[in-house]
């Protein structure tokens, strides 16, 4: 990757990843997968190893930079950071003001993304089909679970950080939603807001340990069991469609840090039942249009990627 256009496209992919990470139920890992940088991202994270620390200790900064694929990580993180700073408020506002249209857009995006990812399976068999079904079942179970009451002990906060950061790089599963399931979403937000340094450090350490170890596991699975791993990950994405279904009815609510009532646990309803059960307009035709938009956007990205990288 040496051309300016390559770096610019990578920056845009980072922006897309950051945008996805601020959306409940949508994973930045999904964007990394459909834009073709997932394995490179895993390998770059995995390269933060003993050799990297040896380079750092001996101040061999150039060797360290090349070893960890520094330019790739820097450009990608710059895109993610830009997105979080500039787009987070826009996306959250749209989710509040036009939730059905936004969720429909992501629904269409994930459907076509899962289909495109299935193309990466080089050889089909009963094992691959089982892997897809396992991924679907796991994602459905996680995304349909009710948030639990959990301890505030340091060890659990560490585990919550490790698991949540792993979910953020898994296609189809949102790290923020994992924190919600663990009962630590508001806890972590309050810790950041109130600058509880110890809690932030414990959570951050869990994130670091989680992503460094988990990236190695997933990378190993890609190398040894590529077809099965792709099957499971595509299954995660298909199973996550339950979470991004546009028409939902709140069953349980909670009060966020701004004092606003937000849905804690929701159930999906059919569009024709949405009005009678919630009293709100289902916007069915608009939802179809936005779902088609997400579908076509991913197709366009796939075609552009194929044009710019014909060898792939």
């Amino acid at each position: 990757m040496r051309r300016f256009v390559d770096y610019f496209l990578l920056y845009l992919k980072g922006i897309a990843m950051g945008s996805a990470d601020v959306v409940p139920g949508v994973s930045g890992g999904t964007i990394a997968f459909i834009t073709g940088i997932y394995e490179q991202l895993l390998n770059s994270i995995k390269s933060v190893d003993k050799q990297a620390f040896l380079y750092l200790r001996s101040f061999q900064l150039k060797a360290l930079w090349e070893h960890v694929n520094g330019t790739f990580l820097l450009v990608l993180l710059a895109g993610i950071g830009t997105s979080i700073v500039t787009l987070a408020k826009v996306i959250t506002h749209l989710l509040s003001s036009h939730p059905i249209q936004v969720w429909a857009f992501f629904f269409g995006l994930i459907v076509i993304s899962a289909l495109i990812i299935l193309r990466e399976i080089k050889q089909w068999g009963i094992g691959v089909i089982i892997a897809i079904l396992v991924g679907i079942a796991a994602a459905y179970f996680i995304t349909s679970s009710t948030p639990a009451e959990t301890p505030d002990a340091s060890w659990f906060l560490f585990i919550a950080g490790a698991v949540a950061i792993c979910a953020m790089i898994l296609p189809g599963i949102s790290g923020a939603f994992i924190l919600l399931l663990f009962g630590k979403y508001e806890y972590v937000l309050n810790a950041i807001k109130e600058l509880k340094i110890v809690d932030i450090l414990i959570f951050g350490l869990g994130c670091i340990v989680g992503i460094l170890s988990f990236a190695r596991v997933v990378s190993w699975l890609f190398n040894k069991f590529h077809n099965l791993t792709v099957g499971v990950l595509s299954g995660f994405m298909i199973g996550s469609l339950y979470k991004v279904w546009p028409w939902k009815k709140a069953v349980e609510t909670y009060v966020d840090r701004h004092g606003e009532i937000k849905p804690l646990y929701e159930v999906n309803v059919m569009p024709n039942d949405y009005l009678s059960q919630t009293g709100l307009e289902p916007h069915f035709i608009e939802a179809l249009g936005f779902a088609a938009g997400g579908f076509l956007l991913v197709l366009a990205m796939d075609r552009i990627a194929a044009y710019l990288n014909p060898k792939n």
Side-chain angles (χ1 to χ4, degrees):
M1 183 178 294
R2 296 179 180 178
R3 299 178 300 172
F4 172 79
V5 65
D6 292 325
Y7 291 118
F8 181 69
L9 286 174
L10 179 60
Y11 178 74
L12 293 180
K13 292 173 183 179
I15 289 178
M17 287 182 63
S19 301
D21 280 327
V22 300
V23 176
V26 181
S27 169
T30 298
I31 303 300
F33 210 128
I34 66 177
T35 55
I37 60 171
Y38 191 72
E39 291 190 57
Q40 187 176 6
L41 175 60
L42 290 180
N43 289 332
S44 298
I45 296 172
K46 187 178 66 172
S47 66
V48 182
D49 53 12
K50 181 179 178 180
Q51 184 61 51
F53 284 105
L54 290 176
Y55 284 139
L56 180 62
R57 189 174 65 178
S58 59
F59 294 99
Q60 299 181 53
L61 300 184
K62 182 178 180 180
L64 172 64
W65 187 260
E66 294 176 351
H67 181 74
V68 301
N69 201 3
T71 302
F72 169 83
L73 289 176
L74 178 63
V75 175
L76 187 66
L77 289 174
I80 293 173
T82 299
S83 180
I84 291 175
V85 171
T86 60
L87 298 181
K89 291 184 178 180
V90 174
I91 292 175
T92 52
H93 171 72
L94 290 175
L95 281 171
S96 298
S97 59
H98 305 285
I100 291 176
Q101 293 88 337
V102 174
W103 286 121
F105 176 80
F106 282 108
F107 192 92
L109 183 150
I110 292 175
V111 167
I112 185 58
S113 300
L115 295 177
I116 288 176
I117 287 172
L118 287 174
R119 296 184 318 188
E120 299 297 319
I121 297 176
K122 309 302 181 184
Q123 185 175 358
W124 285 81
I126 186 65
V128 173
I129 295 174
I130 292 174
I132 294 172
L133 294 176
V134 168
I136 292 173
Y140 177 83
F141 174 77
I142 292 173
T143 57
S144 62
S145 298
T146 304
E149 290 293 330
T150 54
D152 292 335
S154 297
W155 65 269
F156 192 83
L157 187 60
F158 177 89
I159 291 175
V163 176
I165 197 68
C166 291
M168 286 180 182
I169 63 172
L170 271 180
I173 300 180
S174 165
F177 184 72
I178 294 297
L179 284 180
L180 192 61
L181 289 180
F182 276 30
K184 288 291 170 283
Y185 185 70
E186 286 293 313
Y187 187 92
V188 171
L189 287 180
N190 287 330
I192 296 172
K193 178 183 177 182
E194 299 170 11
L195 292 179
K196 295 181 179 179
I197 303 301
V198 175
D199 286 345
I200 293 173
L201 289 176
I202 292 172
F203 180 78
L205 182 61
C207 291
I208 293 172
V209 172
I211 197 168
L212 291 180
S213 57
F214 189 70
R216 285 170 169 74
V217 173
V218 177
S219 181
W220 180 81
L221 290 173
F222 261 108
N223 291 329
K224 296 294 183 179
F225 308 101
H226 181 271
N227 293 331
L228 294 177
T229 303
V230 172
V232 171
L233 293 179
S234 61
F236 278 153
M237 297 179 67
I238 296 170
S240 73
L241 291 172
Y242 175 88
K243 179 62 180 176
V244 297
W245 179 253
W247 297 276
K248 301 176 182 295
K249 180 179 72 173
V251 176
E252 298 180 30
T253 59
Y254 72 99
V255 179
D256 69 7
R257 59 195 180 101
H258 300 296
E260 298 179 0
I261 298 177
K262 297 291 182 66
L264 177 64
Y265 181 61
E266 298 173 304
V267 294
N268 294 339
V269 297
M270 297 302 294
N272 56 313
D273 297 326
Y274 186 76
L275 178 61
S276 61
Q277 295 193 29
T278 67
L280 301 173
E281 174 64 40
H283 299 290
F284 182 69
I285 300 300
E286 291 180 43
L288 286 180
F290 277 89
F295 196 96
L296 294 174
L297 176 62
V298 175
L299 277 181
M301 292 171 60
D302 182 62
R303 292 297 88 207
I304 291 172
Y307 174 77
L308 294 175
N309 300 281
K311 293 182 179 181
N312 296 329

